[in-house]
Amino acid sequence: MIRLTIVAPLALIAGANQLALAMGSTEADANTFGEAQFKDADGNLYAVCSLLCTERWLEKLSEPLKPRLGADMEMANAVQATMSLGGLATTAGITAIQNENPQAALDEMGITYNS
Amino acid sequence: MTTIADKLTALAAVKEAQRVALSLGTGVPFAEYVDNFPSGGTPEWTPLDLPLSAGLVGDYRPWDLSTLFQDAAGTIPVTADGQPVGLILDKSPAGNHLSTLVLAQRPTYQTDGVKSWLFFDGIDDLLTSATVMPLMQTFTLVAVVKTLYSGGASANIFGQFLSVFTRSLALRTSSVVQLNANIRSGGANFAFLSGKGLFPVDQQFGLSYIPSIVVGSDKIAHGYLDGSLASTQDASASIATGADAPLFVGRNAVFNFYGGAVFTTALSSVDRLKVEGYYGSKRWVS
């Protein structure tokens, strides 16, 4: 198992949840990204999820999606196309980082709690 | 040539040797030899030995692999370090099993080969009971936790929670690292008001603690840390009735959960110490 931490900018949270649903195991995965409780240095808001997954699951995240669990595939595909692996979080797309320590992953992406 | 009869005879001899070593009667099923007598002959006391009137409604033992599953449906057992946990069974008669259907919300089972715990990532890991119960008016919460990090100013980590209806152990880091109690019934929020700290302010990340919160019918909150009374606070302004709420463990702090229990009564000091000792022994057992 590897740990993957994914951040979704506020405008893409709904689509990111459709991507999570298309990659998920139950309809509840449509609730993967919750409230936008994190922010970057410029104050832009993000929702974050952090999960354990297999190498194969990570590979599938970059492969063409198959309709599953009633996911809105248009939204899911659109968000998937914005995904980048590593780097600072951006409002242009979702960002995923593989790091065993989720807090270190947030640091890598320049994200902190919006407390 | 070894026959089946020979093997059965040998197996019977092994069982009998174990029975004698554990000082058990002949009527005890073999399946109970190990689980019920781990220390070699003395039945282990557990919170289940308290009378029903104690009101045990949640008893979570992450070192017991028979209670852990990777999926919320309970079909894929947890068998090794590093696997996600989608369900932890409640050992109490109440059956308040904690689970999540969301893949990303699953905490991680971790073990060093002796001690075992659930790691919560502080981002989205959260297990809740499928059922709700009346917001507790009297209660005892006991947990064994290692505080690792809290990016937020405050975080509920174990107890009963539904939005603004809360009875929980909490962690706040607004200016210091401090375990606390969060008691709320829709109005005043006990935990996070200035001056309401129930525990000392010198907790540190990376250390493990046994915090307990006891609230009786006098509506006074008692905070105990590692068995000793830390302080008492008047919680009468925030202990009113409210919406039914589920039990939970997780939310917005990074911590290891070594186990814990929820009671709907204020335990006596004797019983509380026994419960703390039970879970605490799983933190330090060697």
Side-chain angles (χ1 to χ4, degrees):
Chain A
M1 290 283 191
I2 57 177
R3 177 169 289 280
L4 193 67
T5 301
I6 307 172
V7 303
L10 184 61
L12 296 180
I13 291 175
N17 274 324
Q18 293 307 306
L19 175 59
L21 186 56
M23 292 290 298
S25 60
T26 72
E27 293 177 352
D29 288 311
N31 303 313
T32 294
F33 292 90
E35 295 178 40
Q37 296 180 318
F38 298 80
K39 65 180 179 182
D40 64 17
D42 295 326
N44 298 306
L45 295 176
Y46 299 82
V48 181
C49 83
S50 185
L51 73 159
L52 293 170
C53 64
T54 61
E55 294 278 359
R56 177 61 191 136
W57 192 93
L58 180 56
E59 289 172 3
K60 288 174 65 176
L61 191 57
S62 301
E63 297 174 355
L65 299 171
K66 297 175 182 175
R68 294 192 68 235
L69 300 170
D72 183 323
M73 298 309 297
E74 188 174 341
M75 293 178 72
N77 284 319
V79 166
Q80 186 192 36
T82 72
M83 185 177 70
S84 60
L85 291 174
L88 291 174
T90 167
T91 56
I94 64 174
T95 306
I97 282 188
Q98 183 181 333
N99 191 315
E100 187 177 342
N101 183 335
Q103 295 302 321
L106 294 180
D107 291 343
E108 283 185 53
M109 290 187 279
I111 294 293
T112 59
Y113 271 98
N114 184 33
S115 57
Chain B
M1 179 177 175
T2 303
T3 65
I4 292 177
D6 291 333
K7 291 180 179 178
L8 290 174
T9 299
L11 180 60
V14 170
K15 288 182 178 178
E16 177 63 11
Q18 290 189 11
R19 185 190 69 78
V20 171
L22 296 173
S23 304
L24 302 179
T26 55
V28 178
F30 181 59
E32 296 180 14
Y33 281 15
V34 175
D35 285 346
N36 289 348
F37 303 93
S39 57
T42 303
E44 183 182 34
W45 185 92
T46 81
L48 289 169
D49 291 322
L50 289 171
L52 287 176
S53 58
L56 178 63
V57 292
D59 178 1
Y60 307 104
R61 310 178 188 180
W63 64 87
D64 182 349
L65 279 177
S66 72
T67 68
L68 302 180
F69 296 87
Q70 298 186 48
D71 60 325
T75 58
I76 307 171
V78 171
T79 58
D81 177 67
Q83 292 179 336
V85 177
L87 167 67
I88 179 170
L89 297 178
D90 173 17
K91 299 283 282 190
S92 88
N96 284 314
H97 313 309
L98 306 179
S99 66
T100 179
L101 286 165
V102 180
L103 290 178
Q105 289 183 350
R106 296 177 298 174
T108 309
Y109 170 76
Q110 296 182 334
T111 180
D112 60 8
V114 178
K115 301 180 292 295
S116 302
W117 60 91
L118 302 185
F119 167 76
F120 288 84
D121 66 15
I123 292 175
D124 51 10
D125 287 357
L126 172 65
L127 299 175
T128 60
S129 62
T131 54
V132 295
M133 50 185 269
L135 200 58
M136 295 183 291
Q137 299 303 293
T138 60
F139 63 92
T140 300
L141 292 176
V142 178
V144 181
V145 296
K146 178 182 282 186
T147 56
L148 297 174
Y149 182 76
S150 176
S154 58
N156 300 296
I157 59 177
F158 178 61
Q160 186 180 24
F161 179 94
L162 178 68
S163 183
V164 294
F165 304 101
T166 305
R167 279 83 172 101
S168 76
L169 174 68
L171 180 65
R172 70 175 185 179
T173 54
S174 53
S175 57
V176 292
V177 181
Q178 184 176 27
L179 289 161
N180 211 337
N182 186 15
I183 302 168
R184 193 175 187 189
S185 304
N189 185 326
F190 173 85
F192 306 127
L193 296 176
S194 176
K196 290 290 186 183
L198 199 59
F199 298 103
V201 297
D202 57 352
Q203 284 103 61
Q204 299 175 39
F205 289 131
L207 298 180
S208 55
Y209 300 96
I210 310 174
S212 297
I213 302 163
V214 181
V215 178
S217 55
D218 59 0
K219 301 179 181 178
I220 301 296
H222 302 257
Y224 298 90
L225 194 62
D226 295 336
S228 299
L229 180 65
S231 76
T232 59
Q233 300 277 348
D234 181 0
S236 58
S238 52
I239 197 70
T241 56
D244 291 357
L247 301 183
F248 80 99
V249 60
R251 294 198 181 278
N252 298 124
V254 187
F255 66 102
N256 292 341
F257 179 70
Y258 293 84
V262 182
F263 299 84
T264 58
T265 67
L267 290 185
S268 68
S269 293
V270 171
D271 288 343
R272 175 184 50 77
L273 284 167
K274 289 168 73 174
V275 173
E276 291 169 344
Y278 175 72
Y279 292 104
S281 70
K282 304 305 178 184
R283 174 180 59 162
W284 288 301
V285 69
S286 60

